[in-house]
Amino acid sequence: MSENISDIDYKQVIEYALEPLIIHSQLKIIDINRAAEIFFRASKKDIIGASPLDIFKDTSKSAIEKRIQSAYEQPAKVIEETIYRMDGTTIEVELYCHPVWIGETKAIQTYVRDITERKAAESEQKRMLEQVNELSSSLVPLLDGIAVLPLAGSIDEQRATQILESVPIKAQKQNIKFLIIDFSGLYNLDSVVTEYIFKMNQVLSMLGVRSLLTGIRPETAQMAVQIGTTFKSTPTVSTVKDALQLLGVEHNKSLLI
């Protein structure tokens, strides 16, 4: 039996593809597969003959048309877009297109991938990260004019930036005079993050907020020394309790949280 790839029925291949496929030439749709019918909620007869630009928002059409023209020469990069279905509903998709010959006609084959669930998951992850970052820079009031900033978990550059930008503002709004920065719950500090944290300490000092550092681990101290950060101007003690003692707070004084 002789096997020749040229004998493959191309139309059958695209018809049974799981992803929606659109074949178009000169801004006219000449074929779609069954998956595209289901995706766009319309039959082939309703779609074939229409312009592929019709599924895009007016603000995107000019860029998409240029993209299609360039795709006649080489495959276009994958992009994300919001497009319309035939019933007027919108959906977020990933698009990829490349040139293809249909007989003597040079056309474009466009792949459409629904990314609604992925985008929703990314949005939820972003929302949760923002909440975590917000909690990461929360100042917990202990006594009048005294609060603690409990640093916990792993801090990356994004989270460190959030802390640097928000903590001084919160300290000023809450009329904090003494801020205990507790490092005991931190791990995975690198030189960039360490520098951000100690920059925040300098900003607080300029605002008249006196900082006290607690819970600094040996590796954190070594990292600070490596980047040239010193603790000379900032009292450093082992625990939050020790910091309160240093500030003259009596042991039996209840904490106002």
Side-chain angles (χ1 to χ4, degrees), residues 204-223:
L204 288 169
S205 178
M206 293 176 66
L207 295 175
V209 180
R210 183 183 175 190
S211 299
L212 296 89
L213 309 182
T214 65
I216 295 180
R217 299 179 181 181
E219 56 268 30
T220 305
Q222 290 174 2
M223 184 68 71

Side-chain angles (χ1 to χ4, degrees), residues 49-63:
S51 169
L53 296 179
D54 291 344
I55 65 174
F56 295 96
K57 293 182 176 180
D58 290 341
T59 52
S60 300
K61 287 182 179 180
S62 177

Side-chain angles (χ1 to χ4, degrees), residues 68-245:
I68 289 173
Q69 294 304 320
S70 65
Y72 281 106
E73 302 305 322
Q74 61 182 359
K77 293 181 180 180
V78 176
I79 61 169
E80 294 179 3
E81 269 288 348
T82 300
I83 65 173
Y84 291 102
R85 289 190 173 109
M86 294 298 286
D87 61 3
T89 58
T90 58
I91 187 168
E92 293 187 83
V93 299
E94 200 172 66
L95 298 171
Y96 168 67
C97 60
H98 62 78
V100 62
W101 284 94
I102 309 296
E104 298 296 320
T105 302
K106 195 171 187 180
I108 301 293
Q109 179 166 290
T110 298
Y111 299 74
V112 183
R113 177 174 295 167
D114 183 354
I115 58 172
T116 305
E117 290 186 8
R118 192 190 81 194
K119 297 298 285 186
E122 289 174 355
S123 178
E124 177 64 15
Q125 185 178 28
K126 181 180 178 182
R127 185 187 67 80
M128 292 178 65
L129 181 60
E130 288 174 349
Q131 288 183 340
V132 169
N133 286 338
E134 179 62 26
L135 290 172
S136 299
S137 58
S138 295
L139 305 186
V140 182
L142 300 178
L143 296 165
D144 187 27
I146 303 175
V148 60
L149 172 64
L151 301 175
S154 178
I155 295 184
D156 56 16
E157 187 172 356
Q158 180 181 355
R159 187 176 166 198
T161 302
Q162 167 80 10
I163 293 172
L164 174 62
E165 293 176 350
S166 62
V167 166
I169 296 173
K170 290 180 179 180
Q172 201 168 41
K173 285 184 178 179
Q174 295 176 219
N175 295 316
I176 302 300
K177 302 300 180 185
F178 298 95
L179 180 63
I180 301 169
I181 305 174
D182 184 43
F183 287 76
S184 59
L186 267 187
Y187 56 92
N188 292 343
L189 273 178
D190 60 21
S191 60
V192 174
V193 174
T194 303
E195 187 173 7
Y196 269 96
I197 298 299
F198 288 99
K199 275 183 180 179
M200 177 195 68
N201 189 38
Q202 294 174 341
V203 173
L204 288 169
S205 178
M206 293 176 66
L207 295 175
V209 180
R210 183 183 175 190
S211 299
L212 296 89
L213 309 182
T214 65
I216 295 180
R217 299 179 181 181
E219 56 268 30
T220 305
Q222 290 174 2
M223 184 68 71
V225 171
Q226 288 175 10
I227 66 173
T229 302
T230 64
F231 302 91
K232 293 180 180 178
S233 61
T234 306
T236 305
V237 293
S238 297
T239 66
V240 172
K241 179 180 178 181
D242 293 335
L244 292 175
Q245 287 181 324

Side-chain angles (χ1 to χ4, degrees), residues 11 28-32 43-51:
K11 186 172 178 63
K28 182 179 179 181
I29 297 175
I30 57 180
D31 198 11
I32 63 171
S43 64
K44 287 190 178 186
K45 67 177 183 180
D46 294 325
I47 297 176
I48 292 177
S51 169

Side-chain angles (χ1 to χ4, degrees), residues 2-70:
S2 175
E3 295 180 350
N4 190 329
I5 195 170
S6 64
D7 294 331
I8 293 176
D9 186 339
Y10 172 75
K11 186 172 178 63
Q12 189 178 56
V13 170
I14 69 168
E15 184 63 26
Y16 289 111
L18 296 178
E19 290 186 341
L21 297 176
I22 304 172
I23 311 297
H24 51 94
S25 180
Q26 304 305 316
L27 298 181
K28 182 179 179 181
I29 297 175
I30 57 180
D31 198 11
I32 63 171
N33 65 352
R34 176 58 182 160
E37 287 186 279
I38 296 171
F39 179 82
F40 285 103
R41 299 174 180 173
S43 64
K44 287 190 178 186
K45 67 177 183 180
D46 294 325
I47 297 176
I48 292 177
S51 169
L53 296 179
D54 291 344
I55 65 174
F56 295 96
K57 293 182 176 180
D58 290 341
T59 52
S60 300
K61 287 182 179 180
S62 177
I64 293 298
E65 184 173 0
K66 291 179 181 178
R67 170 184 165 84
I68 289 173
Q69 294 304 320
S70 65

